[in-house]
Amino acid sequence: MNKNALFNLVLGAMIAVTVPVLAALGESRLDAYVSIFTLEYFVSLAVIRPRRRTRDFLAGALLAVFFLIVGFRVAEILLT
Amino acid sequence: MEKFYLFAAGLLGFSVPFAAASFLILGSVPLTALGIGLAILAASMLLTPIRVVPPQAIRAMLEGSISSLEAILEEFKVSEKGYYVRAVDGRVYVYVPLGGDHGPPRSEQAPQGLIHRDDGSRYLVLVPPASELVRSPEISSMSFESAVGYVMIDLTELADSIEVVTDGFITIRLRSVKSHVSAWRFKQVFGSLEASIAACIAANLLGPTRVVDELEEPGSKVIVLEVRPT
């Protein structure tokens, strides 16, 4: 199978599994979901190594959001 | 616009308001997360390239072009290893020495006709299968390793993975090679299809190149290239 298509298929499957599993576990923090999505994206990217049409802006955006989430968590711990 | 991208744009267009509505109106975190997840998937699809020509077709075309080269080599009865040299016109040619190996040609002039004379030496000049492929600006702007990986893995899917080691010679290890070329003279002169492509890229990016050796190992193939200083 074309690895570009495989990447989207794997990512879609991971997202589709993550949401009901975390919801079933009673997870109510949105940042936990987004962090897991980011992790899944980068793991799939590293393993399958798909080609991209342009620079991977999505990876940059996800990484920025992830750092933001981690920053807020750290700030929360330090300030409380 | 391709249907695939239309679908991805549609998915993105649906997922963003869906996530916003789930968060602001319904107050449901799992549904909001689902919307974000769909948006990520849609953005990933929009970043995915669609090839007009499938890799199998590119591979078949490259393999098909070998037959005519094999016929020419058979006609000239040559089996000397050829030199991959980039001429001033930007095209990579294979110079097969006639009457003994006397190194690659010194002049970079584009050859005229099948027989090229250079400094008293005669060469049979042929255009390798990947000559036009490696001329594309996309490949010309890459590093050697990236270009080989792009052509062998992404474009033609000739191999599943590659590893390049440079230590005087360039050693390329390919895993799960998929080409099936049985043309004997072609293999002697040009190397295998994979070696020919790698040599073409090396000639285009690094300088006159020759396929020194090829080793078949279980599940992998090792190609050794020699790049001569220009």
Side-chain angles (χ1 to χ4, degrees), chain B residues 196-212:
Chain B
S196 174
I197 292 171
C200 241
I201 295 168
N204 191 39
L205 300 176
L206 307 172
T209 304
R210 191 167 69 145
V211 179
V212 176

Side-chain angles (χ1 to χ4, degrees), chain B residues 68-78 114 124 185:
Chain B
S68 58
L69 290 168
E70 177 75 358
I72 296 170
L73 294 172
E74 195 62 50
E75 187 67 30
F76 281 85
K77 297 271 185 286
V78 285
L114 264 179
L124 172 66
R185 281 191 196 273

Side-chain angles (χ1 to χ4, degrees), chain B residues 117-174:
Chain B
R117 283 179 178 79
D118 181 86
D119 211 14
S121 308
R122 287 167 67 239
Y123 299 88
L124 172 66
V125 183
L126 296 167
V127 179
S131 178
E132 291 301 319
L133 199 68
V134 302
R135 273 180 85 192
S136 72
E138 194 181 4
I139 295 170
S140 297
S141 60
M142 289 178 180
S143 68
F144 174 72
E145 188 170 352
S146 305
V148 172
Y150 172 62
V151 175
M152 300 273 199
I153 300 169
D154 299 325
L155 203 61
T156 59
E157 291 184 1
L158 272 166
D160 281 352
S161 70
I162 66 150
E163 195 183 310
V164 179
V165 177
T166 309
D167 54 349
F169 292 95
I170 298 174
T171 308
I172 304 163
R173 183 182 290 276
L174 302 162

Side-chain angles (χ1 to χ4, degrees), chain A residues 1-5 7-9 11-12 15 19 23 27-30 33-34 37-38 41 49 51-58 62, chain B residues 4-5 23 29-34 36-41 43-51 138 150 153-155 157 160-161:
Chain A
M1 183 191 262
N2 179 331
K3 66 179 185 178
N4 298 325
F7 173 78
N8 288 327
L9 205 68
L11 184 67
I15 289 169
V19 175
E27 184 57 66
S28 57
R29 292 168 303 170
L30 192 58
Y33 287 85
V34 177
F37 292 157
T38 306
Y41 184 82
R49 296 201 301 170
R51 266 187 71 211
R52 291 321 214 181
R53 282 204 299 166
T54 57
R55 277 185 185 280
D56 200 344
F57 299 111
L58 182 59
L62 285 173
Chain B
F4 179 77
Y5 292 132
F23 188 72
V29 171
L31 284 180
T32 310
L34 184 65
I36 294 170
L38 288 176
I40 292 170
L41 182 64
S44 170
M45 287 167 75
L46 285 171
L47 285 169
T48 304
I50 297 177
R51 288 195 208 107
E138 194 181 4
Y150 172 62
I153 300 169
D154 299 325
L155 203 61
E157 291 184 1
D160 281 352
S161 70

Side-chain angles (χ1 to χ4, degrees), chain B residues 16 25 40 54 58-60 63 67 96 109 112 114 132 146 157-158 179 187 205 223 229:
Chain B
V16 173
I25 301 167
I40 292 170
I58 298 175
R59 221 159 54 215
E63 286 173 358
S67 316
V96 190
Q109 279 184 339
Q112 305 286 324
L114 264 179
E132 291 301 319
S146 305
E157 291 184 1
L158 272 166
S179 76
K187 279 187 172 176
L205 300 176
I223 299 165

